[in-house]
Amino acid sequence: AQKITQTQPGMFVQEKEAVTLDCTYDTSDQSYGLFWYKQPSSGEMIFLIYQGSYDEQNATEGRYSLNFQKARKSANLVISASQLGDSAMYFCAMREAFYGNQFYFGTGTSLTVIP
Amino acid sequence: GAVVSQHPSRVICKSGTSVKIECRSLDFQATTMFWYRQFPKQSLMLMATSNEGSKATYEQGVEKDKFLINHASLTLSTLTVTSAHPEDSSFYICSARGVSGRSNTQYFGPGTRLTVL
């Protein structure tokens, strides 16, 4: 089974609108971390936000927030007030066991912000 | 935030030559570094994990004699693609996880685009 599933290969959003990128995960570990990365056309992977499995509050970093629903095993990324520079590939990732080495990536979602 | 650099950012080489890619953590000590390979429009594929001062752990299907990894210090890991062939052409990305304070997050380098002619 896939550890990380991103079901939206491509998304479009109007500039200044909010957008939600879906991510579901599969693990039997109690301790794990969830990450979102942005990859623009330059190729660099840019860390956006992190959510620990024991964190009770949803993580937020500026315009990024992570909608963490543990029972549903989902960790959706919400980008508020989209900007043209947000157009990129977005990858959801998980690492099992707090200091575990294996880092599982989803297949990514390509986001295009329309002016 | 943390910075991970890679050098070179782009390399073109002839078939049969070896290419070395460097990955450095610039503002933190990286106890563990990871090497990924990414094909166009696909996700990252973990190739190997290296810990400072010990041998790298390779993922299944990755040839350890072809992709030599050396994690010589807490700030430097190198990936050498030996006897490169056109099928080795890809985007290679390193990632580093740090000692305390940065252990929860992996930071990625900007990637190296390798083209083997």
Side-chain angles (χ1 to χ4, degrees):
Chain A
Q2 290 285 342
K3 287 284 187 179
I4 294 286
T5 301
Q6 292 180 255
T7 57
Q8 306 155 314
M11 290 280 286
F12 292 87
V13 64
Q14 203 75 39
E15 194 178 5
K16 300 181 184 175
E17 297 290 312
V19 63
T20 298
L21 306 184
D22 294 342
C23 173
T24 57
Y25 59 93
D26 181 29
T27 181
S28 56
D29 277 13
Q30 295 300 309
S31 178
Y32 51 90
L34 297 158
F35 305 77
W36 276 93
Y37 289 88
K38 171 185 178 182
Q39 187 179 42
S41 57
S42 62
E44 182 177 4
M45 294 286 283
I46 302 167
F47 166 71
L48 295 179
I49 197 166
Y50 165 80
Q51 178 88 40
S53 58
Y54 292 118
D55 294 341
E56 294 185 353
Q57 293 200 342
N58 287 344
T60 59
E61 290 285 348
R63 294 187 297 111
Y64 305 107
S65 61
L66 199 151
N67 184 1
F68 182 43
Q69 297 188 40
K70 197 169 182 176
R72 296 179 61 184
K73 293 189 175 177
S74 75
N76 298 340
L77 176 71
V78 180
I79 305 174
S80 63
S82 298
Q83 301 172 356
L84 295 178
D86 294 335
S87 295
M89 281 290 289
Y90 289 81
F91 290 96
C92 178
M94 175 179 69
R95 185 172 68 228
E96 293 173 317
F98 199 60
Y99 291 104
N101 281 338
Q102 183 62 285
F103 211 68
Y104 301 98
F105 281 93
T107 51
T109 296
S110 175
L111 176 67
T112 302
V113 180
I114 304 167
Chain B
V3 178
V4 176
S5 71
Q6 267 183 255
H7 178 80
S9 58
R10 195 178 290 267
V11 58
I12 300 173
C13 69
K14 290 183 179 178
S15 186
T17 60
S18 293
V19 174
K20 180 186 282 189
I21 303 170
E22 290 187 351
C23 176
R24 294 181 185 272
S25 56
L26 297 184
D27 62 349
F28 67 101
Q29 292 184 320
T31 51
T32 307
M33 285 187 169
F34 306 85
W35 286 95
Y36 293 85
R37 184 173 180 176
Q38 187 181 29
F39 292 104
K41 299 191 186 302
Q42 293 190 24
S43 188
L44 280 70
M45 182 189 76
L46 179 65
M47 297 174 66
T49 303
S50 74
N51 293 295
E52 185 263 339
S54 61
K55 287 185 179 179
T57 303
Y58 289 81
E59 295 299 303
Q60 195 171 10
V62 178
E63 297 176 59
K64 56 184 68 174
D65 293 331
K66 180 162 192 62
F67 299 100
L68 301 178
I69 292 171
N70 183 19
H71 194 157
S73 73
L74 285 172
T75 59
L76 173 64
S77 176
T78 60
L79 167 68
T80 301
V81 182
T82 62
S83 187
H85 288 95
E87 58 265 28
D88 298 325
S89 298
S90 190
F91 191 58
Y92 293 88
I93 307 176
C94 75
S95 173
R97 186 159 80 230
V99 182
S100 63
R102 298 192 183 280
S103 296
N104 293 346
T105 303
Q106 277 179 226
Y107 294 91
F108 288 81
T112 297
R113 193 164 301 282
L114 171 63
T115 303
V116 184
L117 302 176

Coordinates of all heavy atoms in Angstrom, one line a residue, chain B residues 45-79:
Chain B
M45 N 13.0 9.6 -5.4 CA 13.2 8.2 -5.1 C 14.5 8.2 -4.2 O 15.6 8.6 -4.7 CB 13.5 7.4 -6.4 CG 13.7 5.9 -6.1 SD 14.2 5.0 -7.6 CE 15.9 5.6 -7.8
L46 N 14.4 7.7 -3.0 CA 15.5 7.6 -2.1 C 16.5 6.5 -2.7 O 16.1 5.4 -3.0 CB 15.1 7.2 -0.7 CG 16.2 7.0 0.3 CD1 16.9 8.4 0.6 CD2 15.6 6.5 1.6
M47 N 17.8 7.0 -2.8 CA 18.8 6.1 -3.3 C 19.6 5.5 -2.1 O 19.8 4.3 -2.1 CB 19.8 6.8 -4.2 CG 19.2 7.4 -5.4 SD 20.4 8.4 -6.3 CE 21.6 7.2 -6.8
A48 N 20.0 6.3 -1.2 CA 20.8 5.9 -0.1 C 20.8 6.9 1.1 O 20.5 8.0 0.9 CB 22.2 5.7 -0.5
T49 N 21.1 6.3 2.2 CA 21.2 7.1 3.5 C 22.6 7.0 4.0 O 23.2 5.9 4.1 CB 20.2 6.6 4.5 OG1 18.9 6.6 4.0 CG2 20.3 7.4 5.8
S50 N 23.2 8.1 4.3 CA 24.6 8.1 4.9 C 24.7 8.8 6.2 O 24.1 9.8 6.4 CB 25.6 8.7 3.9 OG 25.5 10.1 3.8
N51 N 25.4 8.1 7.1 CA 25.6 8.7 8.4 C 27.1 9.0 8.5 O 27.9 8.2 8.0 CB 25.3 7.7 9.5 CG 23.8 7.5 9.6 OD1 23.0 8.5 9.9 ND2 23.3 6.3 9.3
E52 N 27.5 10.1 9.1 CA 28.8 10.6 9.2 C 29.7 9.5 9.8 O 29.4 8.9 10.8 CB 28.9 11.9 10.0 CG 30.3 12.5 10.0 CD 31.1 12.1 11.3 OE1 30.4 11.7 12.3 OE2 32.3 12.2 11.3
G53 N 30.8 9.2 9.0 CA 31.8 8.2 9.5 C 31.4 6.7 9.3 O 32.2 5.9 9.7
S54 N 30.3 6.4 8.7 CA 30.0 5.0 8.5 C 29.5 4.8 7.0 O 29.3 5.8 6.3 CB 28.9 4.6 9.5 OG 27.7 5.3 9.2
K55 N 29.4 3.6 6.7 CA 29.0 3.2 5.3 C 27.6 3.6 5.0 O 26.7 3.5 5.9 CB 29.2 1.7 5.1 CG 30.7 1.3 5.0 CD 30.8 -0.2 4.6 CE 32.2 -0.6 4.5 NZ 32.4 -2.0 4.1
A56 N 27.3 3.9 3.8 CA 26.0 4.3 3.4 C 25.1 3.1 3.3 O 25.6 2.0 3.1 CB 26.0 5.0 2.1
T57 N 23.8 3.3 3.6 CA 22.8 2.2 3.4 C 22.0 2.5 2.1 O 21.4 3.5 2.0 CB 21.8 2.3 4.6 OG1 22.6 2.1 5.8 CG2 20.8 1.1 4.5
Y58 N 22.1 1.5 1.2 CA 21.5 1.7 -0.1 C 20.1 1.1 -0.1 O 19.9 0.1 0.5 CB 22.4 1.1 -1.2 CG 23.7 1.9 -1.4 CD1 24.8 1.7 -0.6 CD2 23.8 2.8 -2.4 CE1 26.0 2.4 -0.8 CE2 25.0 3.5 -2.7 CZ 26.0 3.3 -1.8 OH 27.2 4.0 -2.0
E59 N 19.2 1.7 -0.9 CA 17.9 1.2 -1.1 C 18.0 0.0 -2.1 O 18.9 -0.1 -2.9 CB 17.0 2.3 -1.6 CG 16.7 3.4 -0.6 CD 16.1 2.9 0.7 OE1 15.0 2.2 0.6 OE2 16.7 3.1 1.8
Q60 N 17.0 -0.8 -2.0 CA 17.0 -2.0 -2.9 C 17.0 -1.5 -4.4 O 16.3 -0.6 -4.7 CB 15.7 -2.8 -2.6 CG 15.7 -4.2 -3.2 CD 14.6 -5.0 -2.7 OE1 13.7 -4.5 -2.1 NE2 14.6 -6.3 -3.0
G61 N 17.8 -2.2 -5.1 CA 17.9 -1.8 -6.6 C 18.9 -0.8 -6.9 O 19.1 -0.5 -8.1
V62 N 19.5 -0.2 -5.9 CA 20.5 0.9 -6.2 C 21.9 0.2 -6.1 O 22.2 -0.4 -5.1 CB 20.4 2.0 -5.2 CG1 21.5 3.1 -5.4 CG2 19.0 2.7 -5.3
E63 N 22.7 0.3 -7.2 CA 24.0 -0.3 -7.2 C 25.0 0.5 -6.4 O 25.4 1.6 -6.7 CB 24.5 -0.4 -8.7 CG 23.6 -1.2 -9.6 CD 24.1 -1.2 -11.0 OE1 25.3 -1.5 -11.2 OE2 23.4 -0.7 -11.9
K64 N 25.5 -0.1 -5.3 CA 26.4 0.6 -4.5 C 27.8 0.9 -5.1 O 28.5 1.8 -4.8 CB 26.6 -0.1 -3.1 CG 27.0 -1.5 -3.2 CD 27.0 -2.1 -1.8 CE 25.7 -2.3 -1.2 NZ 25.6 -3.0 0.1
D65 N 28.1 0.0 -6.1 CA 29.4 0.2 -6.7 C 29.4 1.3 -7.8 O 30.4 1.8 -8.2 CB 29.9 -1.1 -7.4 CG 30.2 -2.2 -6.3 OD1 30.6 -1.8 -5.2 OD2 30.0 -3.4 -6.6
K66 N 28.1 1.6 -8.2 CA 28.0 2.6 -9.2 C 27.8 4.0 -8.6 O 28.3 5.0 -9.1 CB 26.8 2.3 -10.1 CG 26.5 3.3 -11.2 CD 25.6 2.7 -12.3 CE 25.7 3.7 -13.5 NZ 27.0 3.8 -14.0
F67 N 27.1 4.0 -7.5 CA 26.8 5.2 -6.8 C 27.5 5.2 -5.5 O 27.0 4.7 -4.5 CB 25.3 5.4 -6.6 CG 24.5 5.5 -7.9 CD1 23.8 4.4 -8.4 CD2 24.4 6.6 -8.7 CE1 23.1 4.4 -9.6 CE2 23.7 6.7 -9.8 CZ 23.0 5.6 -10.3
L68 N 28.7 5.8 -5.5 CA 29.6 5.8 -4.3 C 29.2 7.0 -3.4 O 29.3 8.1 -3.9 CB 31.0 5.8 -4.7 CG 31.5 4.6 -5.6 CD1 33.0 4.8 -5.9 CD2 31.3 3.3 -4.9
I69 N 29.0 6.7 -2.2 CA 28.6 7.8 -1.3 C 29.6 7.8 -0.1 O 30.0 6.8 0.5 CB 27.2 7.6 -0.7 CG1 26.2 7.8 -1.8 CG2 26.9 8.5 0.4 CD1 24.8 7.4 -1.5
N70 N 30.1 9.0 0.1 CA 31.1 9.2 1.2 C 30.6 10.4 2.1 O 30.4 11.5 1.6 CB 32.5 9.6 0.6 CG 33.5 9.7 1.7 OD1 33.3 9.3 2.9 ND2 34.6 10.4 1.4
H71 N 30.4 10.1 3.4 CA 29.9 11.1 4.3 C 31.1 11.4 5.2 O 31.2 10.9 6.3 CB 28.7 10.6 5.1 CG 28.0 11.7 5.8 ND1 26.6 11.5 6.2 CD2 28.3 12.9 6.3 CE1 26.2 12.6 6.8 NE2 27.2 13.4 6.9
A72 N 32.0 12.3 4.7 CA 33.3 12.4 5.4 C 33.2 13.2 6.7 O 34.1 13.1 7.6 CB 34.3 13.1 4.4
S73 N 32.3 14.2 6.7 CA 32.2 15.0 7.9 C 30.7 15.3 8.2 O 29.9 14.9 7.4 CB 33.0 16.3 7.7 OG 32.3 17.2 6.8
L74 N 30.5 16.1 9.2 CA 29.1 16.4 9.6 C 28.5 17.5 8.7 O 27.4 17.8 8.9 CB 29.1 16.9 11.1 CG 29.2 15.8 12.1 CD1 29.3 16.4 13.5 CD2 28.0 14.9 12.1
T75 N 29.3 18.0 7.8 CA 28.8 19.0 6.9 C 28.9 18.6 5.4 O 28.5 19.4 4.5 CB 29.5 20.4 7.1 OG1 30.9 20.2 6.9 CG2 29.2 20.9 8.5
L76 N 29.5 17.5 5.1 CA 29.8 17.2 3.7 C 29.5 15.7 3.4 O 30.0 14.8 4.1 CB 31.2 17.5 3.4 CG 31.7 17.0 2.0 CD1 31.0 17.8 0.9 CD2 33.2 17.2 1.8
S77 N 28.7 15.5 2.3 CA 28.5 14.1 1.8 C 28.7 14.2 0.2 O 28.4 15.3 -0.4 CB 27.1 13.6 2.1 OG 26.9 12.4 1.4
T78 N 29.4 13.2 -0.3 CA 29.5 13.2 -1.8 C 28.9 12.0 -2.4 O 29.0 10.9 -1.8 CB 31.0 13.3 -2.2 OG1 31.7 12.2 -1.6 CG2 31.7 14.6 -1.6
L79 N 28.4 12.2 -3.6 CA 27.9 11.1 -4.4 C 28.7 11.0 -5.7 O 28.8 12.1 -6.4 CB 26.4 11.3 -4.7 CG 25.8 10.4 -5.8 CD1 25.7 9.0 -5.4 CD2 24.4 10.9 -6.2

